[in-house]
Amino acid sequence: MNRLHRYIFSSLLTVVFSAVTVFVFILITGNILQSALGLYASGQLSGMLFCKLLVVLIPYVIAYALPLGVLSGILIVLGRLSSQQEITAMKSAGVGIKTFSAPILFISCVSVCILLFINNYYAPMAKQASRKMLASAVGQNPVEFIQPKEFIKNFPGYIIYIDERKGNDLRGFWIWELDDQKRVKNCLRAESGSFFYDDVKEEIVLTLSDGIGERRDKKNPEDFSSDIPMLVFKKWSLPLPMERLLGPENAPKLKISTMTIVQMLNHKRKQAQLLSETSNPEEIAEIRREIYQTNMRMHYNMSSAFSVFSLVLLGIPLGIQVGRKESYANAALALILALSYFVLQTSINAFFNKMPDSHGEYLLWIPNVLFQGIGICLFIRASKR
């Protein structure tokens, strides 16, 4: 690597590191606000566990921060070199765009390798680790996640109200069980109750004592014209799902989006085995849908890793042509380009994810083909000037 390459490499590496750090802070703040900050603010998570969650999720957001940071670094560095006529001086000395772009392309290739590892292994493992941490926090003291004199709607299908709590002693329970249309189908009233965590099923179990309840008509629970059956109980156990409490991705059942590449391949193998053993049309359709969505996620992770290379090919000629040294303007341009890429990719994934016959896994590569095609054309055009 000659002196020019070292100069561009060091300049770009410094700016890219700073930009990635800024984007990681922004993205991790949004992610934590969405999942754990509310629990921490209410005292349901300890400061140590909150910090652990923060550290675990940093590599997860790097998958989005790295393409943004690399593109911002390219536009800022090349914009500064262009505005100060350094690129013009390089061309006058016979140094073409292909030559001084070598360290930029090297950084982009290294970034692709990092993203392949993060998307296919580390990010899913980080999500699984955060789920285990939150589940462990619930298991250690599930009562801390229940606030008295508030309507608790964290558990899907239930609304819970508790009159008072003294330590682990809970009294005055009201529980409304809802149907799919959010109508009350059952209502329970109990003098006392207790929570415990089932670490096998990873769910909170509520045990009610000395209560009464009513069972309404399943088809028309709002019909009060006829007598409503009443029930009296000494003990009543009610399992409460934790999907809403910890977030959909933290549900006990491992989602495809939180599987590593190895887990997805094993999942596909199991689904293929089930497909060969069944003749039920409904089961066949469900298994094929599962296999298709697994393929979609695998291609999504792979194509997302190459996003940094696609954005770099587009960013090099744009950075030269823009010729501005203002960092905020170049960062804004980088943000617009990156958002365009991710919006297009996310839209394709969302639209074709439930259409098994559309071969949507291959359509996920359209943003890469489009951005790389435009970038190569602009790159060739810039090299001829």
Side-chain angles (χ1 to χ4, degrees):
M1 184 181 291
N2 57 35
R3 183 175 297 179
L4 175 62
H5 285 167
R6 287 197 299 270
Y7 171 65
I8 296 176
F9 181 83
S10 59
S11 301
L12 183 60
L13 198 61
T14 303
V15 178
V16 166
F17 179 80
S18 301
V20 170
T21 302
V22 171
F23 286 121
V24 163
F25 175 78
I26 295 172
L27 293 173
I28 197 70
T29 301
N31 199 292
I32 286 294
L33 282 172
Q34 195 176 45
S35 57
L37 188 57
L39 297 176
Y40 173 71
S42 62
Q44 296 170 342
L45 286 183
S46 65
M48 181 64 70
L49 181 58
F50 181 78
C51 292
K52 287 181 179 180
L53 286 171
L54 185 67
V55 173
V56 166
L57 288 173
I58 286 177
Y60 177 78
V61 300
I62 286 179
Y64 300 95
L66 190 57
L68 285 168
V70 172
L71 181 58
S72 299
I74 290 171
L75 293 175
I76 291 171
V77 171
L78 292 184
R80 177 176 56 80
L81 294 176
S82 181
S83 65
Q84 295 177 355
Q85 304 301 318
E86 293 185 60
I87 291 180
T88 303
M90 292 179 198
K91 291 182 178 180
S92 301
V95 179
I97 184 175
K98 296 178 182 178
T99 302
F100 67 76
S101 295
I104 301 175
L105 294 175
F106 174 77
I107 289 177
S108 70
C109 291
V110 172
S111 300
V112 169
C113 295
I114 293 173
L115 288 180
L116 283 172
F117 173 75
I118 290 176
N119 289 351
N120 290 295
Y121 181 76
Y122 202 98
M125 291 297 292
K127 275 296 184 183
Q128 294 176 31
S130 66
R131 178 188 67 83
K132 291 178 180 179
M133 288 181 185
L134 287 171
S136 176
V138 175
Q140 290 176 2
N141 195 358
V143 176
E144 288 298 322
F145 288 78
I146 307 300
Q147 299 299 317
K149 297 190 181 299
E150 292 184 6
F151 288 97
I152 302 166
K153 302 178 182 179
N154 290 332
F155 304 102
Y158 296 94
I159 297 177
I160 301 175
Y161 183 87
I162 302 173
D163 287 333
E164 61 177 331
R165 186 187 78 185
K166 294 181 179 179
N168 293 329
D169 186 20
L170 304 172
R171 294 194 171 275
F173 275 84
W174 283 93
I175 299 178
W176 297 270
E177 185 177 359
L178 310 179
D179 62 10
D180 295 335
Q181 301 179 35
K182 306 298 182 183
R183 299 177 301 181
V184 177
K185 63 179 182 180
N186 293 315
C187 179
L188 299 175
R189 174 76 172 94
E191 290 297 325
S192 61
S194 61
F195 290 90
F196 76 91
Y197 178 69
D198 187 340
D199 55 357
V200 177
K201 297 181 180 180
E202 292 191 0
E203 63 184 11
I204 294 177
V205 179
L206 170 60
T207 302
L208 301 174
S209 302
D210 301 321
I212 60 174
E214 59 182 40
R215 290 187 177 276
R216 301 181 182 178
D217 188 282
K218 293 182 179 180
K219 296 182 179 179
N220 190 8
E222 296 178 345
D223 182 13
F224 298 97
S225 59
S226 57
D227 293 335
I228 299 176
M230 302 295 293
L231 57 92
V232 179
F233 58 87
K234 294 292 292 182
K235 294 287 184 181
W236 187 287
S237 294
L238 191 66
L240 301 172
M242 300 197 330
E243 184 174 347
R244 282 276 300 279
L245 183 63
L246 303 182
E249 70 280 2
N250 293 317
K253 182 183 177 181
L254 192 61
K255 304 289 185 180
I256 294 175
S257 59
T258 59
M259 291 182 182
T260 65
I261 183 69
V262 176
Q263 290 171 331
M264 283 191 282
L265 289 173
N266 291 333
H267 182 66
K268 279 184 61 180
R269 201 173 294 116
K270 291 179 182 179
Q271 293 298 313
Q273 180 66 28
L274 292 175
L275 187 63
S276 63
E277 295 174 354
T278 184
S279 58
N280 188 316
E282 293 183 358
E283 292 182 359
I284 291 174
E286 179 64 22
I287 293 172
R288 285 179 175 174
R289 183 190 63 81
E290 192 83 6
I291 293 175
Y292 171 74
Q293 290 184 346
T294 306
N295 284 332
M296 285 285 289
R297 190 65 198 185
M298 291 172 64
H299 280 262
Y300 182 84
N301 290 342
M302 297 293 288
S303 61
S304 296
F306 283 90
S307 63
V308 63
F309 188 73
S310 302
L311 294 172
V312 164
L313 285 179
L314 191 60
I316 292 174
L318 285 179
I320 296 172
Q321 292 176 15
V322 169
R324 299 183 63 175
K325 61 181 179 180
E326 294 89 344
S327 298
Y328 66 87
N330 291 316
L333 178 60
L335 186 61
I336 292 172
L337 290 173
L339 284 177
S340 301
Y341 176 93
F342 288 120
V343 166
L344 179 58
Q345 188 185 50
T346 304
S347 300
I348 293 173
N349 182 57
F351 186 77
F352 292 100
N353 196 43
K354 297 181 180 180
M355 300 170 62
D357 297 327
S358 63
H359 297 288
E361 64 268 31
Y362 303 113
L363 299 178
L364 287 170
W365 293 90
I366 288 178
N368 282 311
V369 174
L370 180 62
F371 275 67
Q372 289 181 22
I374 296 174
I376 290 172
C377 292
L378 293 176
F379 193 92
I380 294 173
R381 185 178 177 182
S383 63
K384 292 181 179 180
R385 291 183 177 179

